[in-house]
């Protein structure tokens, strides 16, 4: 066994750029569609604007109007009275509710499945594992509600362990299956609502062992209502250990910044989950507007 | 009857900002989920990059790396070997496969449902009918394949009439129902594939009468594989008459730049259609990555 | 006399878009060149980066590499070993050391010389008085050092009056002449150097009476080492009164964010001042890198 | 003598980041100011807008209004009637009339004076030789008018040799001195004026021998009215040989895209030349608005 045999490397071939979404087969898609009973479509997304909170090492969204209603103030008239408005955004790809491409995080110069880190360049982005390689996700979603499990809001930087995830499954009477999309409610984002300043340096989230537990369950994606899925600050002498393990070793993307309030209000733990990232060629992630359908 | 009584104005209340997507109720959602039989998820999206064709009055996408693999070339080492890449885009909201918000086009200073055009400003975008007001679409999709109907590629600027749409329904043995998402294959985008220069001034598409026919069917959205849904150039002394009728009078959004090749290859005319725009506050549209699930 | 007869309106013709820089004639240029005695070129400019302080209603500068040294890490070789780097900025025009175009501020829907406010549009910027209309400034510069006059750092929001300006002239033994560029040292920027957070809401600066005094002296431009030239907060029930008076009534541009440390260290109050804005068509201002030559 | 002893490397110390502008001393500054006789300030700059021609591997300028006159159309009123307009640009640094920083071009992984190429990174731009290290240029400018020398417009891709430069000096009765700024009129930009499409692949310009001749004259900067200073296409098996020699070996920056029409009309070959780049930290160049003062 080679030292290069990490997590899911090679599992779907040496050229695979899809990772754990490979777990979602036709059977899982059909089964997920069957979860739609009430016909309600729930949004799991933060709005995007210059006010969308963003980690301080990133610049927020800028929204510019190329043409707007004010431009007609002077009374210009066109056939049929036609008028229109258009706009442009400057936007970091990791903003609001977003998904990490498999090229977003790695270690020791190698990405998931052994691709080289220096194939990600300024000139053309990621030659491998860019967000355009990520298929749309249409699968069973599972909400693991840790706030409900605890019966209280989590503390800042409170660790969610594999034991917590297990207990949540038991309490919610659900079983995680291969290909499921796991959404973890940490309560972080809802706790920020009335804060004037959002702190990205202290957040409740899962630890590395919980991440390993999820990887072993063969989930297709792990999402949370915080900004890194994992707990911050990190354990001493580690940096983003959950990112390293899930994204780089297991090819499991992270969905960050989920807005779970509608889903929590609906009281459903299993649902059809749909997320379809914008295919930026060579991009390291994409804002998404995922939905839960119940 | 007031002169202000256009199309669907007032149909869902004076404050409505959703428009025809109101036609999609819980019954339609459940029914659409039932169309998933094979468990295949088909992408209907163009890739997004600086090469994505764009109308000449708009500037193309720019993709910048904030951090990439090359930055580690100097050999910087962090705990656990952690490395990451991030990026930023400058992007017009009407690029690639995208949906028009109801504030995108109007006439005579009034938007859909009577909102004023000058409420769309440089400072904050659209106060009303912005893309963040558009719900995710989860409904039955209907492909009307005009290339198949004609048995040949359409000519540049060839008009698709309401009669054509009717004939396509008959030939395909399908019925359009309230709340359906209509996708029209004009063949425009696929014809551009081998062209060095994409012309946005001559395209086959529907005329105003066809648009009225669709509005009368109470569809929730109209999409096409061209860049304006409607035929270009316009009939004399008109500018974007289909945009004016559907978006402004009927509150029916347009989806432009659809990539229909996978769907056409699958040979299915009815399917679950899912489209979830990014909720840019006050935005006039959003790139989307819609899917057909069969 | 018409109600429309403000300040310098009409002084250089009804179509004038240059304003007070018209005061600088060939005589003034020759005379200014004569001030160069030592042959020292002093920079009066802040560096531009994401760290350049900016008022909170504006977004800071973003600097993106299109191509950089890391992109060659993979060892790509070209004839002669050629390599290069390029970059792109996203930048508000009023950042760092910058000059306001005459279209930047106005009141009652009319700009300097009577141009209409609604000729400044999203589609094309300012049709009149854009920064591309501003000639390069090459004239005598005068430093009015209020910190030196007071013999102490000014307080936050301390008002500089016309009396102060007059006293500074006397103390410095200088006379302001037609066409001079006035640079006022308030000490604001140097006081920010060791602050973690720069406040743009409290700054020492000139009041409206001082501005009128300068306008009456027929100066060509007024600059300062703060962010609005004028004192903040404003007198009750006024907003940017100095901007309104100087820019809109007198056609006198403001230069903001000057870095005066080198000039102060040189101990010179009169010098050749050169400022040449980038000619953004329809732009409301431009970052500049002005120099004092002594 | 080390193999690393290129051109001007080490001439101004191992830590030098200024290069040939070091040739401009106080004596040269004083002498240059003495060239101002008529008091005329001539602009040498192209306007900057989305229409400014740009090489196809770069994206053009985008100019966005954050606030404009149309935003007041709704009739918002503030104390004193105050209104204002602001804007933001997205801009490649090598656009229009611009200067190359010494970090812009290099070969064999080493920049001017031996700095390493991989110190230019996505995260922070150029650690060395960035445009913020370039001092303002205030020196004697020399126009070498090759169109006048030839007595006709140059052909596309016509080579300008060291002999041509020498002949131009003789014909114009001028002598190049240490520290001079050389501006070469190739006629390229003026020939593009009536062209619908500007070709950046064929341009008249200097060859490597002419560049060596200029370097030997100890000039401080070399500018031209074309887009690469040097002739295009390049001699076989070379890429930007003039860039490599002047920027990397000699620390001589290039100024590209000069607009020489006003200077040519003035009929002056020697003048005060002033160019002050914006100090983008780590930037590879800057648009500039240089002037000739006569």
């Amino acid at each position: 066994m080679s030292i290069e045999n990490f997590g899911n490397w090679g599992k779907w071939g040496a050229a695979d750029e899809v990772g754990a979404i490979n777990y979602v087969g036709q059977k899982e898609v059909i089964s997920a569609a069957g979860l739609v009973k009430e016909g309600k479509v729930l949004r799991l997304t933060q709005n995007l604007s210059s006010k969308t909170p963003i980690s301080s090492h990133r610049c927020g969204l800028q929204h510019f109007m190329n043409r707007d209603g004010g431009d007609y103030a002077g009374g210009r008239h066109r056939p049929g009275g036609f008028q229109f408005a258009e706009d442009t955004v400057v936007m970091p790809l990791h903003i609001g509710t977003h998904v990490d491409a498999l090229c977003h995080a790695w270690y020791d110069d190698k990405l998931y499945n052994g691709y080289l880190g220096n194939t990600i360049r300024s000139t053309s982005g990621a030659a491998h594992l860019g967000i355009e390689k990520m298929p749309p996700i249409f699968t069973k979603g599972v909400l693991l509600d840790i706030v409900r499990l605890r019966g209280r809001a989590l503390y800042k930087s409170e660790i969610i362990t594999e034991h917590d995830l297990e207990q949540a499954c038991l309490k919610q009477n659900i079983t995680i299956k291969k290909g499921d999309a796991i959404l973890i409610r940490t309560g972080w984002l809802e706790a920020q609502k009335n804060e004037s300043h959002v702190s990205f340096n202290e957040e409740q989230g899962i630890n590395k062992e919980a991440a390993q537990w999820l990887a072993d369950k063969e989930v297709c994606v792990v999402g949370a209502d915080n900004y890194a899925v994992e707990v911050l600050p990190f354990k001493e002498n580690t940096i983003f250990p959950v990112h390293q393990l899930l994204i780089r070793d297991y090819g499991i993307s992270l969905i960050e910044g989920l807005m779970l309030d509608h889903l929590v209000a609906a009281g459903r733990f299993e649902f059809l989950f749909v997320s379809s990232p914008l295919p930026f060629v060579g991009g390291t992630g994409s804002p998404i507007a995922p939905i839960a359908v119940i």
Side-chain angles (χ1 to χ4, degrees), chain A residues 85-161:
Chain A
E86 289 197 350
D87 35 12
T88 296
V89 291
V90 178
M91 177 174 71
L93 294 183
H94 297 262
I95 191 173
T97 308
H98 65 274
V99 65
D100 296 343
L102 293 181
C103 65
H104 173 48
W106 68 98
Y107 61 90
D108 290 348
D109 298 324
K110 293 220 177 138
L111 311 173
Y112 166 71
N113 220 14
Y115 291 106
L116 297 180
N118 69 10
T119 55
I120 310 174
R121 300 190 181 163
S122 302
T123 44
S124 50
H128 300 287
L129 306 170
I131 192 67
E132 84 278 17
K133 307 285 172 60
M134 181 182 291
I137 299 174
F138 186 102
T139 192
K140 187 184 89 186
V142 169
L143 173 68
L144 296 181
D145 188 337
I146 309 304
V147 176
R148 185 172 176 273
L149 176 73
R150 294 276 201 269
R152 60 162 173 80
L154 275 70
Y155 309 122
K156 279 187 184 180
S157 303
E158 184 171 344
I159 298 171
I160 299 169
T161 67

Side-chain angles (χ1 to χ4, degrees), chain A residues 201-267:
Chain A
N201 297 321
E202 293 174 308
E203 65 175 52
Q204 52 266 41
I206 63 171
N207 64 8
K208 191 174 174 181
E209 290 71 25
Q212 183 67 58
W213 185 87
L214 288 164
D216 292 342
K217 294 282 185 196
E218 303 188 330
V219 303
C220 77
V221 74
V222 178
D225 61 346
N226 59 14
Y227 267 82
V229 174
E230 62 188 298
V231 67
L232 263 89
F234 313 117
K235 210 169 151 177
E236 210 179 347
N237 289 322
T238 67
I239 297 185
F240 289 106
V242 170
H243 278 67
Q244 296 193 32
L245 185 80
L246 291 185
I247 295 178
R248 194 268 201 181
D249 291 351
Y250 282 91
I252 297 173
S253 281
L254 304 181
I255 295 178
E256 295 160 332
L258 281 165
M259 195 73 145
L260 297 174
D261 49 352
H262 297 306
L263 184 57
V264 168

Side-chain angles (χ1 to χ4, degrees), chain A residues 15-75:
Chain A
D16 179 57
E17 305 192 35
V18 166
I21 301 176
N22 279 303
Y23 286 130
V24 184
Q26 292 178 245
K27 190 165 64 83
E28 285 75 17
V29 169
I30 294 167
S31 165
L35 293 168
V36 177
K37 314 280 192 192
E38 298 180 49
K40 289 187 184 160
V41 180
L42 307 172
R43 304 170 81 156
L44 308 176
T45 322
Q46 296 177 61
N47 273 354
L48 289 169
S49 78
S50 61
K51 289 171 188 151
T52 306
I54 190 139
S55 172
S56 62
H57 78 284
R58 294 172 186 148
C59 196
L61 183 142
Q62 294 186 66
H63 180 211
F64 299 109
M65 300 306 294
N66 296 83
R67 176 185 291 268
D68 58 52
D71 295 324
Y72 298 101

